[in-house]
Amino acid sequence: MLPLTDSLSTVNSTLASFQPHGRTHIALGAEFGWQVISPDGVFSGARPYSDEKNVKAVVILTDGIQTAPGWGPSENRTVADAEENLRAICEGMRDRKIEVFTVGYDLTDTHTLDLLKACANPGQHFASSDIENGVKQMLTTIANRIKEKMVRLAN
């Protein structure tokens, strides 16, 4: 985990160090993202939700289907419960006016793509592409959308 920072070089070096480890747990990634930007979360440094000059955004990026089970509504540890957790986390973030962007790359599983679409805020907050042709462009587009919103808030 990387706490909030304004150091692009720190972000880039942290991302470069990431390595895949077996299972995919989209819901857990979404939960950690929310915790990082939540003023009530387990990490420090996040601005209050009431700060109108602040943009809170989470980008959930995955190349895999939910394979890790999670405890959830059925009180069992299943993949279906992990998916329900993802739905609840995404709804909770959107209710807090957090911009939720989702990116599925190298994914053909329509169930997972539908989960990602449902998680994202409406209006071009979901994207899907292959790693070779589109992820960098998608992330650049997301960054530009967030920057545009920040400029409007600063005026």
Side-chain angles (χ1 to χ4, degrees):
M1 278 303 304
L2 177 66
L4 292 174
T5 180
D6 59 2
S7 170
L8 185 58
S9 64
T10 300
V11 171
N12 285 335
S13 65
T14 300
L15 288 173
S17 72
F18 287 171
Q19 296 295 316
H21 294 288
R23 293 186 170 198
T24 299
H25 203 321
I26 303 167
L28 185 60
E31 184 172 358
F32 269 105
W34 190 3
Q35 288 289 327
V36 168
I37 65 169
S38 172
D40 308 320
V42 297
F43 302 98
S44 62
R47 292 187 179 171
Y49 289 113
S50 60
D51 184 346
E52 294 184 11
K53 298 273 184 185
N54 187 49
V55 175
K56 289 193 180 282
V58 170
V59 179
I60 301 167
L61 176 118
T62 186
D63 69 342
I65 62 173
Q66 178 76 38
T67 57
W71 291 104
S74 76
E75 298 185 15
N76 292 302
R77 192 168 179 262
T78 67
V79 169
D81 277 336
E83 290 176 347
E84 283 303 314
N85 293 341
L86 176 63
R87 288 180 186 94
I89 291 164
C90 294
E91 182 179 334
M93 286 192 289
R94 291 190 313 268
D95 287 349
R96 288 296 216 157
K97 308 296 186 237
I98 296 170
E99 297 283 324
V100 181
F101 296 89
T102 60
V103 177
Y105 67 93
D106 289 346
L107 273 174
T108 57
D109 180 71
T110 56
H111 176 74
T112 302
L113 292 171
D114 289 343
L115 279 172
L116 293 173
K117 286 176 195 171
C119 180
N121 288 65
Q124 299 177 340
H125 281 66
F126 164 78
S128 176
S129 182
D130 62 79
I131 192 74
E132 297 296 322
N133 296 311
V135 171
K136 185 175 182 179
Q137 180 57 45
M138 283 187 270
L139 293 174
T140 299
T141 300
I142 291 169
N144 288 336
R145 293 188 70 201
I146 293 168
K147 284 180 195 176
E148 289 170 7
K149 191 164 192 164
M150 290 171 61
V151 168
R152 285 194 301 269
L153 290 175
N155 290 333

